[in-house]
């Protein structure tokens, strides 16, 4: 940390909003305005009795849906105490007079959510999800234009007078009037927030997790990486400090491109702004506005600091998981008063902030403590991945002797001796390490009481497990076969992590927008339908009961209705629910009826009959969302939904039949600058390689091979995407029918290039493929 940087601490909390606090506007020395999902704008003034704190001054009521962007109108003849401009999900821009707290102008014109507002020489400029910028003068729209081909998320005015916009198309654009004079390309996902950095250029915050500082020429001067999720907002101070707010529940403070402090919050940070004195204001999803200070005389008292520490601890505890269960859902020690039913039965008990496992000792009639359960991932994190496969653990193993650190994957259900044997063979390490590796696995996975099963057979020799000190029973040498590190690929990969609450909120927001549009009201969901959607999500969240939970035909029909009727820009959260629902066995079977239906299915509901008559609803949706110009969010959710269909074998015939059409529809994804799209497309290709090898379809294998080779040859493809494409190539060559075709397409050059990569797993799969090129 820099010596001249003073750490920020809590100054005060501003409580009053009843839902997520979304936006912040610093109103000079007059106070602070904030917006919220609770449909209000609130104005806060310095508390005259305590200059460290702010007190609520006015509540501005007028929006009919959640409020986001805000901008301050300095005091003038029209607004003697200043004014506020706000934009909302209701598509409106409202102007408020702070002397009265009344709404004085309602600016109507945008078709979808207003995402940003700024002032330009007395004019108001607003941006929207409808892809347009609008200029308002004296309450009237005087001009508007399509500024991007995807939703605009941010707009700022430069000191020089130009405007800069940021968009879901991943770019920034510099505007002089209605003319775009420069497009800034570099982010790999939505540009969510913008700020001017004095005398240097433009700061941008992105869904790709990074913050960038751009010169007005388009050159990237600096990239700040440290957040682990979407970055929603960014701001700068004359001191040179930068602050950012993120979905990862932190506000980070940056100096000269380095993160000098990370401030934890009990929820995601929608917005973060500097006050003139350098203090920082944050808007959190828990509905609380917080001010942070580096001035010793303004720091909160010890009771307030302790209270905040308790909020953070409680929030972490609510999200903590042990053994895949929420810590707060585990029983307490009182559960040990109930005897077990069988020897070895296990229970996980909550002890303080940890989960502890106990096993029932039938002979002694007591619970024996096994040990602390290793924490699972948070709600928004996956299990550890290695080479695209999830494991309970991925250990770093230091062999020593100058050897590089090796990755050792392990699942608790695996036999540690079998894991050790396979891993030593893959890593080309001596069998002498075997017992050390087994002990390392047991110690680091908490399985200290593991008993070796004497019936275990060595997977390579066929004999009983080797016990150090005992003679080997291997009596004859077996001819060596080529061994491969990453091929053939077995099993299917899926995208199973979901932010269900965020998906439901987005659907509700879109539904409110439809309700506010007289021409589209008929497309909106009724209250019973919204309630049913919530019930669907509740079932999907409860993965532990997937084996017995059920859906009704009307549930599937409701989602298909939205896919078929809602505007294209609004369907991505609906597709996202479909993506997760197809992983549920009962839903998958119900949906299959609709997918294969020739004439539609009549579904009766107690409220009203609903007929889904689309012939091939999944293919129709794919065609609709991939039609150029495609909306990135639609592309991403739909390709992942199709990829998840591979989870259930009942879809294999349909996936096989429509292979060519599906691959053609998503073929542009591999060259997308969006890394998530690249990875999703590569995963689709990899799953198809596994399916078509099993189906012995040479023509289909050829198409998949061709697509995988395109990815492997592309220079700007993400490492994980390239790796999955190379695994598909290797698997098709090893077990498929297209090795000769691959050789004709110069796969040898691709293998050599991969083998020379600095990325270990790319080099390893390159070596696997190179062996296949020499195979007779």
């Amino acid at each position: 940390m820099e010596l001249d940087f003073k750490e920020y601490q809590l100054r005060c909390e501003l409580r009053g909003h009843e839902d997520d606090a979304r936006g912040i506007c610093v109103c000079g020395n007059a106070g602070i305005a904030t917006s919220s999902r609770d449909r209000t704008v609130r104005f806060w003034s310095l508390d005259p009795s305590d200059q460290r704190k702010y007190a609520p001054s006015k509540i501005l009521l007028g929006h009919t849906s959640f409020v986001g962007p805000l901008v301050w109108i300095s005091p003038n003849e029209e607004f003697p105490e200043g004014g506020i401009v706000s934009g909302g999900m209701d598509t409106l821009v409202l102007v408020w007079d702070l002397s009265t707290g009344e709404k004085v102008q309602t600016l109507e014109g945008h078709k979808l959510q207003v995402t940003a507002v700024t002032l330009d020489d007395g004019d108001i400029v607003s941006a929207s999800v409808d892809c347009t910028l609008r200029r308002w003068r004296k309450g009237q729209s005087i001009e508007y234009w399509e500024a991007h081909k995807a939703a605009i998320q941010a707009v700022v005015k430069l000191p020089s007078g130009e405007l800069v916009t940021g968009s879901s198309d991943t770019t920034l654009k510099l505007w002089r009037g209605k003319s775009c004079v420069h497009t800034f390309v570099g982010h790999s996902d939505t540009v969510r927030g913008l700020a001017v950095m004095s005398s240097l250029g433009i700061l941008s915050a992105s869904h790709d997790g990074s913050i960038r500082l751009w010169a007005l020429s388009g050159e990237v001067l600096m990239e700040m990486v440290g957040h682990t999720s979407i970055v929603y907002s960014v701001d700068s101070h004359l001191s040179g400090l930068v602050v950012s707010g993120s979905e990862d529940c932190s506000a980070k403070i940056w100096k000269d491109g380095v993160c000098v402090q990370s401030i934890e919050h009990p929820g995601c940070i929608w917005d973060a702004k500097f006050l003139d004195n350098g203090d920082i204001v944050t808007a959190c999803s828990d509905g609380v506005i917080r001010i942070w200070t580096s001035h010793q005389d303004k720091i909160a008292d010890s009771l307030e600091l302790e209270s905040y520490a308790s909020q953070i601890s409680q929030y972490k505890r609510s999200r903590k998981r042990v053994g895949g269960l929420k810590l707060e859902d585990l029983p307490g020690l009182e559960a040990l008063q109930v005897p077990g039913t069988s020897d070895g039965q296990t229970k996980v008990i909550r002890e303080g902030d940890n989960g502890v496992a106990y096993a029932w000792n039938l002979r002694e009639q007591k619970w024996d403590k096994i040990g602390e359960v290793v924490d699972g991932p948070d709600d928004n994190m996956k299990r550890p991945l290695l080479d695209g496969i999830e494991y309970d653990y991925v250990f770093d193993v230091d062999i020593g002797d100058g050897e590089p650190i090796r990755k050792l994957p392990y699942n608790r259900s695996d036999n540690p001796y079998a894991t050790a044997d396979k891993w030593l063979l893959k890593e080309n390490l001596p069998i002498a390490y075997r017992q050390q590796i087994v002990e390392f696995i047991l110690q680091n996975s908490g399985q200290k009481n593991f008993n070796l099963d004497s019936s275990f057979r060595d997977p390579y020799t066929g004999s009983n497990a080797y016990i150090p000190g005992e003679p080997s029973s291997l009596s004859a040498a077996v001819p060596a076969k080529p061994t491969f590190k990453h091929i053939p690929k077995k099993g299917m990969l899926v995208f199973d992590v979901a932010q269900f609450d965020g998906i439901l909120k987005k659907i509700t927001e879109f539904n409110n927008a439809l309700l506010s549009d007289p021409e589209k009201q008929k497309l909106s969901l009724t209250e019973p339908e919204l309630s049913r959607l919530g019930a669907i999500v509740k079932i999907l969240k409860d993965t532990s009961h997937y084996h017995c939970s059920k859906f009704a035909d009307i549930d599937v029909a409701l989602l298909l209705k939205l896919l078929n009727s809602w505007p294209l820009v609004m369907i991505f959260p609906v597709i996202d629910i479909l993506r997760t629902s197809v992983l549920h066995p009962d839903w998958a079977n119900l949906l299959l009826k609709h997918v294969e239906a020739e004439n539609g299915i009549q579904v009766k509901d107690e409220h009203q009959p609903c007929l889904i008559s689309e012939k091939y609803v999944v293919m129709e949706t794919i065609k609709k969302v991939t039609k150029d110009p495609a909306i990135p969010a639609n592309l991403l959710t739909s390709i992942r939904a199709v990829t998840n269909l591979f989870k259930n074998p009942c879809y294999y015939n349909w996936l096989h039949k429509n292979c060519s059409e599906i691959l053609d529809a998503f073929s542009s994804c591999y060259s997308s600058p969006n890394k998530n799209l690249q990875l999703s497309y590569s995963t689709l290709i990899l799953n198809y390689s596994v399916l078509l090898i099993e189906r012995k379809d040479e023509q289909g294998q050829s198409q998949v091979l061709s697509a995988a080779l395109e990815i492997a040859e592309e220079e700007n493809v993400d490492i994980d995407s390239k790796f999955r494409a190379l695994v598909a190539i290797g698997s098709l060559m090893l077990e498929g029918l297209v090795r000769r075709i691959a050789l004709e397409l110069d796969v040898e050059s691709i293998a050599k290039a991969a083998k020379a990569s600095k990325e270990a797993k790319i080099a390893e799969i390159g070596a696997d493929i190179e062996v296949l090129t020499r195979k007779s």
Side-chain angles (χ1 to χ4, degrees):
M1 186 177 294
E2 298 284 340
L3 294 177
D4 61 346
F5 173 76
K6 295 179 181 178
E7 192 164 273
Y8 281 76
Q9 295 188 62
L10 182 67
R11 171 176 165 177
C12 62
E13 293 184 330
L14 283 56
R15 293 181 175 270
H17 284 300
E18 298 173 2
D19 209 332
D20 295 41
R22 292 296 298 260
I24 300 165
C25 177
V26 178
C27 305
N29 295 321
I32 299 167
T34 59
S35 63
S36 169
R37 194 182 290 275
D38 67 9
R39 307 181 184 186
T40 70
V41 177
R42 293 175 187 252
F43 188 75
W44 314 78
S45 304
L46 273 172
D47 189 338
S49 64
D50 186 350
Q51 291 291 298
R52 180 172 60 83
K53 298 182 178 181
Y54 282 77
S57 174
K58 291 181 175 68
I59 301 177
L60 312 182
L61 301 172
H63 282 286
T64 59
S65 186
F66 82 72
V67 194
L70 302 169
V71 69
W72 161 243
I73 302 173
S74 300
N76 55 31
E77 289 184 10
E78 186 178 2
F79 301 104
E81 293 184 25
I84 296 288
V85 181
S86 60
M89 181 67 199
D90 54 13
T91 75
L92 301 178
V93 177
L94 302 183
V95 182
W96 310 85
D97 185 346
L98 277 181
S99 62
T100 62
E102 296 298 319
K103 175 181 62 177
V104 293
Q105 290 179 8
T106 300
L107 311 181
E108 299 183 64
H110 283 297
K111 303 299 183 186
L112 294 170
Q113 175 188 352
V114 178
T115 51
V117 288
T118 192
L119 299 181
D120 185 15
D121 296 331
D123 293 344
I124 295 169
V125 177
S126 58
S128 169
V129 174
D130 66 15
C131 306
T132 67
L133 284 178
R134 282 184 180 264
R135 182 178 294 274
W136 312 83
R137 185 174 297 162
K138 296 180 180 179
Q140 300 298 318
S141 176
I142 61 170
E143 63 179 1
Y144 70 93
W145 66 99
E146 184 181 84
H148 291 263
K149 293 295 184 182
I152 306 171
Q153 300 288 354
V155 61
V156 294
K157 183 189 175 184
L158 300 178
S160 54
E162 295 96 337
L163 297 174
V164 178
T165 53
S167 168
S168 295
D169 65 10
T170 76
T171 70
L172 292 74
K173 289 183 183 289
L174 177 65
W175 299 91
R176 193 168 293 135
K178 291 169 64 176
S179 299
C180 177
V181 295
H182 192 79
T183 299
F184 302 72
V185 178
H187 281 298
S188 59
D189 208 333
T190 296
V191 177
R192 188 60 176 263
L194 296 172
V196 176
M197 191 157 190
S198 182
S199 304
L200 287 175
I202 297 291
L203 287 162
S204 60
S206 172
H207 284 202
D208 64 15
S210 73
I211 301 111
R212 291 188 176 213
L213 174 61
W214 307 79
L216 296 186
S217 62
E219 177 187 359
V220 178
L221 302 177
M222 191 181 296
E223 184 173 20
M224 289 159 267
V225 178
H227 284 293
T228 57
S229 189
I230 293 170
V231 187
Y232 288 118
S233 62
V234 65
D235 195 25
S236 71
H237 189 257
L238 289 174
S239 63
L241 292 181
V242 171
V243 65
S244 55
S246 168
E247 178 78 25
D248 66 11
C249 304
S250 75
K252 292 188 183 294
I253 304 166
W254 310 81
K255 183 177 176 64
D256 300 326
V258 176
C259 180
V260 291
Q261 188 180 354
S262 184
I263 304 175
E264 291 183 297
H265 283 66
C268 85
I269 309 301
W270 288 111
D271 202 2
K273 291 283 194 299
F274 280 104
L275 296 177
D276 289 344
N277 69 350
D279 285 1
I280 293 170
V281 189
T282 56
C284 184
S285 62
D286 67 352
V288 181
I289 304 293
R290 295 179 176 87
I291 302 181
W292 308 86
T293 187
S294 59
H295 304 285
Q296 289 298 312
D297 60 334
K298 293 191 184 310
I299 294 173
D301 62 38
S302 58
L303 287 177
E304 291 171 310
L305 294 174
E306 286 176 13
S307 173
Y308 185 67
S310 176
Q311 291 176 51
I312 293 295
S313 176
Q314 185 177 355
Y315 180 70
K316 287 182 175 179
R317 191 160 54 246
S318 73
R319 292 165 62 84
K320 185 174 182 180
R321 288 180 175 270
V322 289
L325 302 171
K326 276 192 174 182
L327 179 68
E328 60 184 11
D329 292 340
L330 295 177
L333 287 169
E334 67 279 0
L336 298 180
Q337 303 301 314
V338 180
T341 56
S342 59
D343 194 41
Q345 177 191 350
T346 59
K347 270 187 181 180
V348 181
I349 303 297
R350 184 181 70 254
E351 293 186 15
D353 285 346
N354 297 306
V356 179
Y358 287 81
W360 179 246
N361 186 325
L362 186 63
R363 187 170 68 177
E364 299 183 20
Q365 289 289 296
K366 67 171 187 173
W367 290 99
D368 291 332
K369 187 173 182 176
I370 301 173
E372 184 178 326
V373 179
V374 177
D375 290 350
D378 284 345
D379 291 344
N380 63 339
M381 296 176 64
K382 295 181 179 179
R383 297 164 65 210
L385 281 169
L386 183 64
D387 301 338
I389 301 172
E390 289 186 353
Y391 294 94
D392 291 337
Y393 307 93
V394 176
F395 301 118
D396 287 328
V397 182
D398 187 359
I399 301 298
D401 301 323
E403 291 285 326
I405 298 293
R406 315 289 179 102
K407 297 288 185 183
L408 168 58
Y410 177 68
N411 288 317
R412 290 179 68 86
S413 59
D414 292 343
N415 186 300
Y417 283 91
T419 298
D421 286 342
K422 292 177 182 177
W423 184 76
L424 290 170
L425 185 65
K426 282 179 66 178
E427 296 292 340
N428 197 26
L429 293 171
I431 194 68
Y433 285 132
R434 185 181 199 243
Q435 192 62 22
Q436 288 175 260
I437 295 299
V438 170
E439 290 172 1
F440 175 90
I441 291 171
L442 296 179
Q443 180 179 352
N444 286 279
S445 62
Q447 295 175 285
K448 297 178 182 177
N449 298 322
F450 176 84
N451 293 317
L452 177 64
D453 181 358
S454 60
S455 67
F456 171 68
R457 311 289 289 181
D458 187 285
Y460 299 103
T461 66
S463 61
N464 287 78
Y466 163 75
I467 306 297
E470 292 191 4
S472 169
S473 61
L474 183 63
S475 57
V478 179
K481 291 183 178 180
T483 58
F484 300 100
K485 186 152 190 172
H486 297 292
I487 56 174
K489 174 73 180 77
K490 300 293 184 184
M492 303 298 186
L493 300 180
V494 296
F495 296 96
D496 56 0
V497 174
Q499 297 288 339
F500 285 111
D501 292 340
I503 294 170
L504 271 183
K505 281 183 178 179
K506 182 60 69 176
I507 288 177
T508 303
E509 290 167 13
F510 284 159
N511 198 58
N512 289 337
L514 292 174
L515 283 169
S516 66
D517 186 340
E519 295 180 2
K520 296 179 180 177
Q521 279 184 351
K522 61 183 180 182
L523 301 179
S524 63
L525 289 166
T526 63
E527 284 300 324
E529 286 174 329
L530 276 174
S531 177
R532 190 59 221 160
L533 205 57
I536 291 170
V537 166
K538 186 176 180 180
I539 295 173
L540 293 175
K541 280 184 175 181
D542 188 10
T543 55
S544 61
H545 289 89
Y546 270 27
H547 63 287
C548 59
S549 54
K550 299 290 183 182
F551 291 95
D553 265 329
I554 192 66
D555 297 330
V556 179
L558 176 58
L559 246 64
L560 299 187
K561 167 191 168 182
L562 297 181
L563 285 179
N564 292 322
S565 63
W566 269 25
L568 198 59
V569 295
M570 292 183 172
I571 65 171
F572 65 87
V574 181
I575 302 173
D576 217 18
I577 291 185
L578 187 67
R579 169 184 69 84
T580 55
S581 62
V582 297
L583 299 176
H584 190 291
D586 187 58
W587 183 287
N589 289 325
L590 285 174
L591 180 65
L592 188 65
K593 297 178 188 176
H594 294 262
V595 171
E596 293 184 336
E598 290 280 333
N599 301 311
I601 296 179
Q602 181 79 36
V603 181
K604 292 186 178 178
D605 179 17
E606 59 183 338
H607 301 292
Q608 59 179 11
C610 175
L611 180 64
I612 302 300
S613 58
E614 279 64 22
K615 190 173 181 181
Y616 293 110
V617 69
V618 176
M619 277 311 305
E620 290 303 316
T621 301
I622 291 171
K623 291 174 184 176
K624 183 164 63 172
V625 301
T626 56
K627 187 177 179 180
D628 195 48
I631 297 169
N634 286 348
L635 266 183
L636 182 62
T637 50
S638 59
I639 193 172
R640 288 184 169 185
V642 173
T643 301
N644 283 2
L645 291 175
F646 285 87
K647 172 80 170 179
N648 197 318
C650 72
Y651 284 94
Y652 285 1
N653 286 337
W654 183 87
L655 287 164
H656 187 189
K657 178 182 177 182
N658 294 283
C659 171
S660 180
E661 205 169 354
I662 289 171
L663 293 181
D664 287 345
F666 291 112
S667 60
S668 64
C669 293
Y670 85 91
S671 59
S672 167
N674 186 316
K675 291 181 180 180
N676 291 323
L677 262 181
Q678 293 176 8
L679 184 64
S680 301
Y681 181 63
S682 294
T683 308
L684 178 68
I685 293 297
L686 183 53
N687 282 354
Y688 257 124
S689 71
V690 176
L691 175 63
L692 297 174
I693 287 170
E694 179 187 309
R695 294 296 176 100
K696 296 181 171 58
D697 177 356
E698 183 174 355
Q699 184 177 348
Q701 290 178 30
S702 298
Q703 185 178 5
V704 172
L705 175 69
S706 177
L709 289 170
E710 280 187 320
I711 300 170
E713 290 176 322
E714 179 70 30
E715 291 183 5
N716 298 318
V717 168
D718 175 65
I719 294 300
D720 290 328
S721 303
K722 182 164 288 194
F723 174 76
R724 293 187 182 185
L726 288 167
V727 171
I729 293 168
S731 299
L732 288 165
M733 291 179 67
L734 179 62
E735 294 198 332
L737 306 170
V738 291
R739 178 174 172 273
R740 178 184 55 78
I741 297 172
L743 292 172
E744 290 173 357
L745 295 172
D746 198 22
V747 73
E748 190 171 359
S749 297
I750 291 174
K752 286 181 179 178
K755 190 178 177 183
S757 172
K758 293 179 181 178
E759 294 288 337
K761 63 183 182 181
I762 298 293
E764 290 161 359
I765 183 62
D768 283 352
I769 295 173
E770 190 178 56
V771 169
L772 292 172
T773 64
R774 298 195 298 263
K775 188 178 174 184
S776 58

